[in-house]
Amino acid sequence: MILQKKKTFNDFAAAKGLRSTRQRDVILDMFLSTHQHVSVEDLYLKVKASHPGIGYATVYRTLKLFAESGLAREILLHDGQTRYEHVLAGEHHDHLVCTGCSAIIEFEDATIEKLQEEIALRHGFQIRSHKMEIYGLCADCSAKGQA
Amino acid sequence: MILQKKKTFNDFAAAKGLRSTRQRDVILDMFLSTHQHVSVEDLYLKVKASHPGIGYATVYRTLKLFAESGLAREILLHDGQTRYEHVLAGEHHDHLVCTGCSAIIEFEDATIEKLQEEIALRHGFQIRSHKMEIYGLCADCSAKGQA
DNA sequence: GTTTGAATGAAAATGAATATCAAAAGCACA
DNA sequence: TGTGCTTTTGATATTCATTTTCATTCAAAC
Ligand SMILES: [Mn+2]
Ligand SMILES: [Mn+2]
Ligand SMILES: [Zn+2]
Ligand SMILES: [Zn+2]
């Protein structure tokens, strides 16, 4: 699993003629050990804890490379912070975002995806990507709100 | 139509105890005379042309008020600029965004909206808002790409 | 008219993302 | 293993949209 992902990135790097560096190895390890939806700041702090020499800009640049390699996906929610999440092969999902506690719930809906394609077709539009986010209160937060 | 919208804002302002100012009147008129999806910068320039005294910050603040009053909707596409669009009573739509020419096509799909509600229900999630954007190439741009 | 607090506008501050550039490091080749 | 060339890095500066600050102006209640 993790080895497979490292291979994905190494193949990408090789194909692009990128050099292999200690920094990129460390950042990749750290990214693979995180859970969903890390902000650049989050990951930077995590990296800095064990490798204080690694700079901010490098984390930014490297995460962009991960996204480009297909390893990660960049997501922009409504808080002005870019986040990155793991991309599982052939999988796609969208998000429920709690405005109370910032929890993010993932979901997949094949019917919606299909309908999106039909809409695009109807407008002669070629889909390259899409985003769909539902904002509101998660179960916990709406329970608390009423208590 | 326009009178109705002015009333919407005036009622909101009254309810909130906001004062009525020349600036807000001008900005409202200008906003109502624009077409879809104005950026703050766009509107500021338009306002400045006839009312050079009105400041940047006031346009920002006032557009936020319009959104709060239900008159306008804030939309954040992937170009780092907040835009505002008119809200027609009881209407909702989403966007197809062309990454070639920046054209924005609006669409509505009741089935998708319904499915979103079902998904939320399944997760005990209370929807407050949602966004759905499809990025890609519009008919014109994909035709040009092939030519 | 006077008073009082909200609104305004110019300018400064913020904050995320990107660019700059000298120093460090990877890598091909001898 | 060393040399030379090029990429990468990291500290810092810069950019750009947005927000904040704060002295001044103004709306509106008295
Ligand atoms: Mn996710
Ligand atoms: Mn629209
Ligand atoms: Zn929550
Ligand atoms: Zn186009």
Side-chain angles (χ1 to χ4, degrees):
Chain A
M1 178 91 75
I2 283 184
L3 282 180
Q4 177 53 45
K5 294 206 166 184
K6 290 199 184 185
K7 184 164 159 25
T8 299
F9 183 67
N10 290 334
D11 289 353
F12 166 83
K16 262 214 139 187
L18 301 181
R19 292 181 179 173
S20 111
T21 70
R22 190 183 53 84
Q23 288 87 336
R24 296 212 264 239
D25 285 348
V26 169
I27 296 169
L28 181 51
D29 278 339
M30 291 292 188
F31 177 66
L32 294 179
S33 78
T34 59
H35 294 289
Q36 306 289 329
H37 317 120
V38 224
S39 71
V40 186
E41 175 82 14
D42 286 345
L43 193 63
Y44 169 65
L45 292 175
K46 202 167 143 75
V47 164
K48 204 175 65 165
S50 55
H51 296 77
I54 294 181
Y56 219 86
T58 301
V59 176
Y60 265 93
R61 288 187 282 232
T62 305
L63 281 171
K64 284 223 170 289
L65 285 178
F66 292 170
E68 207 184 328
S69 77
L71 191 79
R73 182 159 73 123
E74 208 174 275
I75 51 184
L76 290 91
L77 304 180
H78 276 191
D79 68 344
Q81 281 221 301
T82 301
R83 291 169 185 280
Y84 289 85
E85 68 179 351
H86 299 198
V87 170
L88 306 177
E91 184 262 4
H92 170 77
H93 64 259
D94 292 292
H95 299 110
L96 291 158
V97 183
C98 179
T99 52
C101 65
S102 301
I104 299 177
I105 302 166
E106 305 187 332
F107 70 89
E108 240 179 310
D109 190 300
T111 312
I112 291 181
E113 307 277 323
K114 188 115 203 160
L115 288 168
Q116 289 177 344
E117 281 164 31
E118 283 171 22
I119 290 161
L121 194 65
R122 209 177 301 146
H123 289 88
F125 194 94
Q126 280 199 333
I127 298 182
R128 192 170 290 172
S129 70
H130 74 93
K131 76 185 298 184
M132 176 165 155
E133 288 140 22
I134 301 177
Y135 293 88
L137 293 178
C138 72
D140 283 0
C141 286
S142 41
K144 271 178 211 148
Q146 293 179 326
Chain B
M1 177 94 73
I2 284 183
L3 281 179
Q4 178 53 45
K5 293 205 166 184
K6 290 199 186 186
K7 185 164 158 26
T8 300
F9 183 68
N10 291 334
D11 289 352
F12 165 82
K16 261 214 139 187
L18 302 180
R19 292 183 179 172
S20 110
T21 71
R22 190 183 53 84
Q23 288 87 335
R24 296 213 263 237
D25 285 347
V26 169
I27 296 169
L28 181 50
D29 279 339
M30 291 291 187
F31 176 67
L32 293 179
S33 77
T34 59
H35 294 288
Q36 306 288 330
H37 316 120
V38 224
S39 71
V40 187
E41 174 83 15
D42 285 346
L43 193 63
Y44 169 66
L45 291 175
K46 203 166 140 75
V47 164
K48 203 175 66 165
S50 55
H51 296 78
I54 294 181
Y56 220 86
T58 302
V59 176
Y60 265 94
R61 289 188 278 232
T62 306
L63 281 171
K64 285 224 169 288
L65 285 177
F66 292 170
E68 207 185 328
S69 77
L71 191 78
R73 182 160 73 122
E74 207 174 275
I75 49 184
L76 289 91
L77 304 180
H78 277 189
D79 68 344
Q81 281 221 299
T82 301
R83 292 169 185 281
Y84 288 85
E85 68 178 352
H86 300 198
V87 171
L88 307 176
E91 184 263 2
H92 170 79
H93 64 258
D94 293 292
H95 299 110
L96 291 159
V97 183
C98 178
T99 53
C101 66
S102 300
I104 299 176
I105 302 166
E106 305 187 333
F107 70 90
E108 240 180 310
D109 190 301
T111 312
I112 290 181
E113 306 278 322
K114 189 114 202 159
L115 288 168
Q116 289 177 345
E117 281 165 32
E118 283 172 23
I119 289 161
L121 193 64
R122 209 176 303 145
H123 290 87
F125 194 94
Q126 280 200 334
I127 297 182
R128 192 171 289 173
S129 69
H130 73 95
K131 75 183 299 183
M132 175 165 155
E133 289 140 22
I134 301 178
Y135 292 88
L137 293 178
C138 72
D140 283 1
C141 286
S142 39
K144 271 177 210 149
Q146 293 179 325

